[in-house]
Amino acid sequence: MGQSGKDGRLSIGQLSSMSQISVKTLRYYDDEGILKAAFVDEVSRYRYYAPAQVEQARLLQNLRFAQVPLEDLREFMREPTREHQAQLFNRHIERLRAQVHELNSGIRSLTRRRDYPWHPQVYAVKGRVRPSVPLVFVHDRVGLGDLEDAREAARAELSEYLGQQGIEPTSPLMSYSCQTRPAVEDPQTPVAT
């Protein structure tokens, strides 16, 4: 890696030490079109950078340190300003918040499964005809990641409704999903699967 090139250009090694980005990563960024060298010597193939690229490289390094995806880095380099960097930080913060929500849902689901394990048992089943009983349900469409939260909300809503009606459930509140909405006699009855 040579010294400064012509016209005050910086060698890749100099840019690396000024920006704290490894030479290997700077080469990768050049190959990927993220931070292109200002000049490449035709004979030696050494990459040289303009002094103005030092600030761009530092902003880029801040984004990469925050684990901002490469596609966002490419977008950033079209307009490498502190304002644009702040916008990308905000976008990445929202992405991380969504991941945290998804992880928390998974933790709640696993905790519930750990605390209330299902053990298959053999039961003697006797069939008998019983008169029909009223059915209360809550209907909602949710994404798979929100299923556990929605199930708990539906149970709470059903418990509140039954309490308001003075009805004591004859069995534990259960939940299931179905493709079509069952018919409901009372349109005021809350509905969810």
Side-chain angles (χ1 to χ4, degrees):
M1 325 274 158
Q3 297 296 317
S4 289
K6 302 172 188 171
D7 304 323
R9 294 180 187 136
L10 303 170
S11 70
I12 195 168
Q14 290 171 316
L15 182 63
S16 173
S17 65
M18 296 170 104
S19 65
Q20 301 301 305
I21 300 175
S22 71
V23 169
K24 181 179 177 182
T25 301
L26 285 170
R27 286 188 183 118
Y28 175 77
Y29 285 168
D30 187 25
D31 293 342
E32 291 295 313
I34 295 171
L35 181 62
K36 296 293 285 178
F39 174 78
V40 178
D41 187 283
E42 292 181 16
V43 176
S44 67
R45 304 303 301 156
Y46 284 164
R47 295 169 168 94
Y48 292 95
Y49 295 84
Q53 289 180 288
V54 173
E55 180 64 16
Q56 294 173 0
R58 287 178 179 157
L59 293 172
L60 193 61
Q61 180 66 350
N62 283 335
L63 290 167
R64 200 59 200 130
F65 181 74
Q67 299 179 346
V68 171
L70 287 176
E71 278 309 308
D72 286 353
L73 297 182
R74 279 190 188 86
E75 176 189 329
F76 169 72
M77 290 311 293
R78 290 186 205 113
E79 183 191 346
T81 63
R82 290 199 182 277
E83 293 79 18
H84 193 195
Q85 182 188 47
Q87 291 172 357
L88 292 179
F89 275 142
N90 288 336
R91 183 187 310 163
H92 193 55
I93 287 167
E94 289 307 311
R95 215 174 313 177
L96 292 174
R97 283 186 177 139
Q99 289 175 2
V100 167
H101 175 74
E102 188 175 320
L103 290 171
N104 283 333
S105 292
I107 289 169
R108 283 192 299 276
S109 176
L110 288 173
T111 301
R112 230 178 262 110
R113 289 177 188 205
R114 179 201 63 205
D115 294 345
Y116 305 102
W118 180 79
H119 299 289
Q121 299 176 354
V122 177
Y123 294 97
V125 178
K126 294 181 183 179
R128 63 181 174 188
V129 176
R130 298 180 70 181
S132 63
V133 293
L135 172 68
V136 178
F137 60 94
V138 178
H139 182 304
D140 197 5
R141 287 182 185 252
V142 297
L144 193 55
D146 297 322
L147 183 62
E148 292 298 324
D149 291 337
R151 186 177 301 181
E152 288 303 314
R155 285 184 178 142
E157 187 177 344
L158 286 172
S159 294
E160 181 182 343
Y161 175 79
L162 293 173
Q164 290 171 351
Q165 303 301 315
I167 300 171
E168 186 67 32
T170 57
S171 64
L173 296 177
M174 299 173 64
S175 63
Y176 63 95
S177 62
C178 63
Q179 295 297 324
T180 58
R181 180 181 172 137
V184 179
E185 291 181 23
D186 179 7
Q188 299 303 315
T189 302
V191 184
T193 43

